[in-house]
Amino acid sequence: MTNETLTLQLEFKDAEKKTRQLNLEHTKQDLSAELVQQAMNQIVTSHLIDKKGVDAYQSPQAARYIRRTVSDVFAAAKIRVLLELFFQLT
């Protein structure tokens, strides 16, 4: 089974100039750069997250979509069910 996810990753610098990332799942794929920048600026001006007295999202740096595909090689639960079925039939 294959499972694909799409994440919008927002990258900021905090008050100490360290890179911070905010990952958002279940976002639209066609967001414009202007709209994303506007949202990031709103996050900055709202001062939502303060970590140990440090403003975590102070300066927008970048935004990117990350597409991740996970393909199962095997799943233990499925194998167990198959083995149980096999041994019941023999």
Side-chain angles (χ1 to χ4, degrees):
M1 183 163 102
T2 300
N3 183 19
E4 185 173 284
T5 59
L6 184 68
T7 302
L8 177 60
Q9 183 179 74
L10 307 178
E11 186 176 295
F12 298 86
K13 291 286 185 184
D14 68 10
E16 295 178 337
K17 306 300 181 210
K18 293 181 182 176
T19 300
R20 301 288 180 193
Q21 295 171 342
L22 181 61
N23 295 307
L24 306 171
E25 295 183 5
H26 311 293
T27 59
K28 291 184 177 181
Q29 295 184 45
D30 57 351
L31 298 174
S32 69
E34 294 80 19
L35 182 62
V36 173
Q37 285 179 317
Q38 181 182 9
M40 291 177 76
N41 287 328
Q42 288 177 348
I43 291 169
V44 168
T45 59
S46 68
H47 304 285
L48 288 175
I49 300 177
D50 183 301
K51 293 186 177 184
K52 299 179 183 176
V54 176
D55 190 5
Y57 303 119
Q58 191 172 60
S59 173
Q61 298 297 305
R64 65 186 61 85
Y65 283 108
I66 299 172
R67 188 175 309 275
R68 181 173 176 240
T69 303
V70 177
S71 300
D72 292 337
V73 174
F74 77 93
K78 291 178 184 176
I79 290 174
R80 186 187 48 169
V81 169
L82 290 173
L83 288 173
E84 288 174 359
L85 180 62
F86 175 76
F87 285 112
Q88 286 177 0
L89 294 176
T90 56

